[in-house]
Amino acid sequence: MGWPLAVSAGLLERSPRALFGALGALSAGHLLATFLVLLPFALLLTLAEWQRPIQLAASLLVIGFGAYRLVDRRHPRALARIPPSQLALWSFAVAIAHGAALMLLPIYLGLCQAADLDASHRAAGALVSTNLAMAVLVSLAHVVAMVVAGGCLAWLVYRYLGLKFVSRSWLNLDAVWAISLILVGAIALVFNLTN
C-alpha cells in the first residue's frame, strides 16, 4: 500500500531514481515488520504439542483483525505526506498497523508444520533454527512479491498517469485489505480444522 508514496517521491523529485529509492526504503520497513511479527511464532513453534491451537488462534486473530479494519476505517491524513528519509519507518509502522505481517502467520505456521513432524526426536536448537529460517524465508518471499507488485503499480502511475491522476484520485484500499485479511484467516482456519 506504499506504492503511492513511491510515485509521490518520483514525481516530487522528477526522477525515476527517487521512485526506486522510495521502493527500497518501503521494502526495508515492510521486511522488518514481517520478520518481527513472525519471529515470536518461530520461537513458539518449539512447543510442538501446542502447534495446532497456535495455528487456530493465529487464524482467528487474522480474521478478527480484518473485521476490525473493515469496521474502523479511520485513516490518519498525516500519513499521506512522508519525507523520503522516513519511508522505512513509515512502512514498518503501517505494516504492523494494517496487519500485513499478521496475514503471513497462517501461511508460516502451515509451512512449519512439515518441519516439526518428528519434533520429539529433535534438539530444541534444531527446531528454533528451522523455524527461524522459515520465518526469514516467508518474510523475504512476501517482501519480494510486495515490491514487484507495488513497484509495477508505482512505475505505471508515475510514467503514464502522473500528478493529475494522483491529485484527483485518492486510492483507499483499506476495505480491500481488510477483506483479504479475513479471507486469508478463514482459509487458514478451514485448513487447520480439516486436518
Side-chain angles (χ1 to χ4, degrees):
M1 292 179 56
W3 67 265
L5 293 173
V7 172
S8 175
L11 290 171
L12 286 172
E13 295 188 28
R14 298 176 193 246
S15 165
R17 178 178 273 174
L19 181 140
F20 291 112
L23 284 174
L26 290 166
S27 61
H30 203 81
L31 179 63
L32 181 60
T34 58
F35 185 68
L36 285 179
V37 168
L38 293 178
L39 181 62
F41 288 90
L43 299 175
L44 281 175
L45 282 176
T46 59
L47 305 171
E49 65 272 5
W50 291 99
Q51 185 169 344
R52 184 169 165 84
I54 291 170
Q55 288 175 320
L56 293 172
S59 299
L60 292 172
L61 183 63
V62 172
I63 292 169
F65 191 74
Y68 170 75
R69 293 300 313 147
L70 196 57
V71 172
D72 182 22
R73 296 206 183 178
R74 289 178 289 157
H75 204 278
R77 292 195 180 263
L79 294 178
R81 179 91 169 112
I82 306 298
S85 62
Q86 296 176 358
L87 281 176
L89 179 61
W90 177 89
S91 180
F92 171 77
V94 169
I96 294 293
H98 276 237
L102 189 62
M103 183 184 274
L104 297 176
L105 278 178
I107 298 165
Y108 167 70
L109 292 171
L111 289 172
C112 286
Q113 187 173 12
D116 290 339
L117 289 177
D118 194 19
S120 61
H121 294 86
R122 295 181 190 196
L127 283 171
V128 170
S129 66
T130 299
N131 292 330
L132 188 59
M134 187 62 75
V136 171
L137 183 64
V138 169
S139 292
L140 284 172
H142 171 73
V143 168
V144 167
M146 186 263 322
V147 168
V148 169
C152 288
L153 280 172
W155 176 252
L156 290 172
V157 171
Y158 170 81
R159 182 78 173 119
Y160 297 107
L161 299 176
L163 187 57
K164 283 185 180 181
F165 174 78
V166 173
S167 65
R168 289 186 181 161
S169 63
W170 173 248
L171 304 172
N172 188 348
L173 301 174
D174 284 345
V176 173
W177 183 249
I179 291 168
S180 68
L181 282 168
I182 293 169
L183 286 174
V184 166
I187 291 168
L189 186 61
V190 167
F191 280 127
N192 284 314
L193 289 175
T194 58
N195 284 341

